[in-house]
Structure formats: C-alpha cells, structure tokens
Amino acid sequence: MTREEIIEAIKDIIHTIAPDEDLSNLNTSERLRDQIELDSMDFLDIVMELRKRYGVQIPEEEYKELATLDGCVAYLGPKLAGKSLKVGV
Amino acid sequence: MSTPRYDAIVLGAGFSGLAAGIRLAQFDRKVVVLERHALVGGLNSYYKRAGRRFDTGLHALTNVALRSEKATPLARLLRQLRIDRDVLELREQSFSEIVFPSARLEFGNGFTRLSESVERAFPAERDRFARLVADVRAFDPFAPDLADRSSRVELRERGLDPILADMLLCAACWYGSAEVDDVDWRDFVVLFRSIFLEGFARPAGGVKTLLDVLVKRYRELGGELRTKSGVQRILRDERGARAVVLDDGTVLESDCILSSAGLAETLALAGGTLDERAAPRLSFFETSWITREPQRAVGHEATITFFSRADRFRYGPPRSGELVSLENGVVCCTDNYASDAPPDEGLLRITVPANPRAWFQLDEDAYVAAKARCSDTIAAAAAAIVPDPRPRAVFTDAFTPRTIRKYTGHVDGAVYGSPAKRRDGRTGIENLFVIGTDQGLVGIVGTMLSGVLMANQHALAARSA
Ligand SMILES: Cc1cc2nc3c(=O)[nH]c(=O)nc-3n(C[C@H](O)[C@H](O)[C@H](O)COP(=O)(O)OP(=O)(O)OC[C@H]3O[C@@H](n4cnc5c(N)ncnc54)[C@H](O)[C@@H]3O)c2cc1C
C-alpha cells in the first residue's frame, strides 16, 4: 500500500468506529485524539479492525505508534506492503 | 462427534452478556452466549400478562446526555457496539424528583433543573454543592488502583447539609448500590453523572426495543445465541477454566469464559467458593398498577420519584426481618415519558426494599397472599407522595426477590449483585472472568459497558496476538 492508501485505510476504519466525525481535514502529524474524539477504547478498535481487514497483528505495547497518521504510515508501511486497500467493509 | 470449541463463551444473555457477545462477534471471534431462560434480558426483561407487555426492570435508561456530548458513557458504548442511537427511539423523561419530609428536589435531563432546585431548597448550600459537582466532574472513577471510599464520608467531609447529602445518596443508592446504607465513592460519581448530569429516557417500545436491537446486531455479526441452555458446571484443569457443561449434558470448550451469573454464583459453577464479607445482598419488591388513565390526569407529572419517609435516609433491607420496608423507595411513572400519542392508560410502579429470606420461606398460598398485602401497604405508604393507584387500577402485578432469583439465578434475588466487586474482572481462576453487576458497573448502560470493557481487556486485547 502507498502512503495515501494507508491513510485512506485508517480513515475508513475511523469512519466505521465513529461515523459522525469529520475526517476531511486531518493533519497527518498531529495526534489523532487531539483532532477528533477518540479514546483508548477506540484505539483498540483501530487495532482490531486492522487485524480483521488486513491480518496485521499489533502488540499492545505498540499501539502508541498509531497516535498520528504519519505514525501509522511509518509503522504500518512494512506490515501492509503488498496488501490491497479495503474500504467500506 | 468432537466437542465444539469456541474462542469465547459468555454466560448469560442479560445486557452485559449481549454487549460482550457483540464485541467478540464484531471481531470474528467464534462466540456463543448461553442463557438458561427462554427469553433474553436477565434482570431487565419483559413478559406478557392480560394482553399487555410489562418490563421487569427498566424504570429509566440512565446516562441519556445530549447527542452532541460524545465523551459520555452512552455515546462511547453505542460507538463500541456500532449501534446508532436513533434505533433506540429514546423518549425523554418529563422531570424527576427526590421527595423527603422536609425538602423536595427536581431534576431533568441536563443539570440546570437540579442546580436551580438545590438553590431554592438549600440556598445556604450553593457553594458547597457547586464544589461537590466540580469534584464529581473532575474525578476519574476508572483510574486503576483506586481504594474503596465511603460516599457518606466524602459528603460529610465536604460539609454538605445532611438532608441534601441524603437526598443525593437516596437517588444514587437506589440506582446502583449493592452496599447497605452507603455507596462506594467511584460508583457515586458514576451514578451522579448518569442521573443528574446526563439524565433519563425510555425506548419507545420499552426494554424489548433495546434487547431486539442487541440480539439483531449480535446475530448479524455471526454470533451464536442459545437460550434454554443453562450452564450447570464449569470444567477446569491446572491451567484454568476449559469448558462448560450445559443442563442437558452438552460440553462446550473454550479458554475464555466471561460470566454474568455473579461472582459467587460463577465460582460455585467452577466448584469453588467465595470468601465474602457476611454482608446481606439487597433485593426489592415491586408492584405495577395499570391505571384507567395516565397519572397526569390526577396531577402527577414526575417520571421517577425517589422518596424517603424520614429525613435520615437509610438504604438497606427491612429492619426487623419483615417482608418489605416502607421507609423509602422509588416510584416510576412510565406514562410521563414523552410519547408520540397520548397514552390511553397509565402505569405506575412502586419499588421498596425487601427481605429475601422472608420471601423464600413462604409456601405458595402464603406467598400469593403476601404479594397482595404488600402491594396494598406500599401504595398506602406512598400515598402522601404519589396519587394512590389502587382506586384507578385495572390490573396489578408484583415481583419479589423470589421472582428475581428464579429468573436470574442471583443469590438472594440480588439486584445489584455482591457488595464485594471485582473491578478487574478476575475470578482467581485463569480463563474465567466476571462481567456485569459483580464486576462493578450496574444499571443497563453500566452493565453493558462492563461487558464491553471486559471483552476488550480479557478476550480481545490480551488475545489479539
Ligand atoms: C426492578 C428492577 C428495576 C431496575 N431498573 C433499572 C433501571 O431503571 N435502569 C437501569 O439502568 N437498571 C435498572 N435495573 C438494574 C439492571 O437491571 C441491572 O443492573 C442489569 O440488567 C444487570 O445486567 P447483567 O447482565 O449484569 O446481569 P443479569 O441481567 O442478571 O444477567 C445474567 C443472566 O445470566 C443468566 N444466567 C445466570 N446463571 C446462568 C447459568 N448458570 N447458565 C446460563 N445462564 C445463566 C441469567 O438467566 C440472566 O439472564 C433494575 C433492576 C431491577 C431488578
């Protein structure tokens, strides 16, 4: 997946979890939870959806890597290499 | 045939079990929810009599905050379950009240009505009350490793007028304390927010609407629900719980069992016992009167009325081993929720403390007679507070600790479970966890959150790798 696709994948997951949040103007270097209403329960959901959709396993100590969209791209890039984007599932 | 194996087994299709089931099914876990009864709902179910549907619990869905407030428990819960608030068809309360001999407080959804009411009834308490509310807003009841603290002590230390303190305690205890005459401070904080800062509503179709939404969601996600499937035993080996045996002898295996049967009840299923403080469990007696016209027609407009007939509120079982106590209670007037069409009849419910052992001892005839007699005495005792429903009644029904024990399996017909909570959900047996009331969160919203949190912690996060 490309950088854009990874961001798209995360946004689609957030949209499933929190359909009422506006995701059109997210800053990629700022913490997600500072921009939209996301708590630790929601972060668990992002992790669980990544596992469900892409078979990616993320240990609890590494959840923090997903704090920003840039962080997601850096951390998930290698794990999502060769996988294709699934949205609206 | 080999023994069926699951990623997780959930005991009980009450609100906590269904919520836990949804979380697990949502992430493709192979999960089964096992319920002894034919109907789901547990403490909060429904039944039909005389062509009408009665709810067994559900006076009020608490925590009903404005839709725009996203960080509230109800909003977080619905998000975790991916349920749209609109499908619950919530109808808000008119207002509710706390009635004591020397003062009366009113509250509605959102905090304004209570704060104005306190200001009128207790003008001298204005600043102290504001400070209490600020403390309640700031406190984090879910912080790990909090010590148990008495709310009576917390309120006294804040110097609050003892009658005002008891009025607040009356509502909090009645909607969620398993302890005699007190409530843990973190629970008080949760209850205060859910009752006074957020508020009450009722799904248009009563508890059935809620349960139908949960069961539908669970099934759509591929979850398996088995009713009439009581768990008789939990099997374990040196590594912990491994399987359950149903009443009909069927064996189902799993390394993750979440139980809403209660802590002592669950340990008993696993062949263990619970070393508990010898504190009694609290149970209630409730009578429902269907009345010819809504209560509004006779001037009663409140939705929920918490009352105490003495200014010193004492929460607990009847003093002298009597069947019921007339010292305090809750009245729920369902027809005072907003509705699309004016209701053509009314429903008034009065709930008071009951003594489980006294109810269990009665033989069948004495039991039926006692239900009728107690319905009479509680209506008479509450007549100074709400209009007496008896002259207008077209149908009357009552439930007792015996009913609750029969339909939920809870020791002593306990409504809020054991006074000793297991906040981390652990039972001391590996692979076996408690969810729901005995984990510490009570009420419909609370217990569902408990199911979600425990499923997240013990079945999803811990086992995701
Ligand atoms: C009269 C009354 C009024 C209430 N009013 C309100 C209210 O207005 N608002 C509110 O928020 N809350 C209210 N409550 C509280 C609320 O009902 C409970 O806090 C909540 O429903 C508890 O849910 P639970 O899932 O923890 O437990 P339960 O509902 O007790 O669920 C446990 C389930 O497990 C099943 N079970 C037990 N043992 C076994 C076994 N061995 N095998 C298989 N299944 C088993 C039981 O049959 C039951 O269905 C009220 C309760 C009562 C009794």
Side-chain angles (χ1 to χ4, degrees), chain A residues 16-18 20-21 37-39 41-42 44-45 48-49 51-52 57-58 60 63, chain B residues 23 26-29 70-71 76 79-80 82 449 452-453 456 460-461 463-465:
Chain A
T16 312
I17 299 168
D20 47 348
E21 292 290 351
E37 197 79 47
L38 281 184
D39 58 25
M41 284 160 83
D42 298 322
L44 173 67
D45 277 40
M48 301 304 302
E49 288 288 346
R51 173 188 147 122
K52 181 168 155 180
Q57 309 274 10
I58 306 175
E60 226 176 321
Y63 288 6
Chain B
R23 285 295 293 171
Q26 191 155 280
F27 297 111
D28 300 334
R29 298 300 200 269
K70 289 180 187 148
R76 291 170 68 194
R79 205 188 240 206
Q80 287 268 304
R82 317 263 199 276
L449 261 180
V452 166
L453 290 169
N456 285 354
L460 292 173
R463 289 162 203 248
S464 67

Side-chain angles (χ1 to χ4, degrees), chain B residues 13-190:
Chain B
F15 278 94
S16 61
L18 289 170
I22 289 174
R23 285 295 293 171
L24 292 160
Q26 191 155 280
F27 297 111
D28 300 334
R29 298 300 200 269
K30 188 177 178 210
V31 53
V32 61
V33 175
L34 303 169
E35 170 57 51
R36 173 160 278 140
H37 292 282
L39 277 179
V40 301
L43 283 166
N44 254 294
S45 194
Y46 55 88
Y47 61 93
K48 271 201 166 154
R49 281 287 146 75
R52 298 174 180 86
R53 198 165 60 225
F54 289 86
D55 287 349
T56 51
L58 193 70
H59 288 169
L61 190 72
T62 58
N63 302 87
V64 179
L66 297 176
R67 199 180 287 266
S68 55
E69 291 191 33
K70 289 180 187 148
T72 62
L74 181 63
R76 291 170 68 194
L77 175 69
L78 294 176
R79 205 188 240 206
Q80 287 268 304
L81 301 178
R82 317 263 199 276
I83 289 174
D84 181 3
R85 179 172 159 151
D86 288 339
V87 303
L88 305 182
E89 299 175 40
L90 296 180
R91 303 289 183 262
E92 293 196 39
Q93 65 172 330
S94 50
F95 67 92
S96 290
E97 58 186 358
I98 307 171
V99 181
F100 274 44
S102 55
R104 177 173 170 276
L105 294 176
E106 276 183 14
F107 59 97
N109 288 3
F111 181 54
T112 323
R113 194 155 182 166
L114 178 68
S115 104
E116 287 169 4
S117 179
V118 168
E119 184 130 7
R120 271 195 308 274
F122 296 93
E125 294 305 300
R126 187 200 162 120
D127 293 347
R128 276 184 289 269
F129 183 65
R131 223 171 300 131
L132 169 70
V133 175
D135 288 350
V136 163
R137 285 187 197 271
F139 189 79
D140 175 10
F142 299 109
D145 306 320
L146 285 177
D148 293 345
R149 283 151 83 181
S150 154
S151 298
R152 284 209 177 269
V153 171
E154 291 285 333
L155 293 170
R156 204 178 307 131
E157 282 175 353
R158 283 173 177 74
L160 210 64
D161 179 291
I163 297 179
L164 175 57
D166 274 29
M167 293 179 88
L168 301 172
L169 275 170
C170 175
C173 286
W174 265 103
Y175 270 14
S177 177
E179 264 178 78
V180 173
D181 211 28
D182 206 340
V183 55
D184 183 80
W185 178 245
R186 81 194 107 184
D187 296 328
F188 180 87
V189 166
V190 169

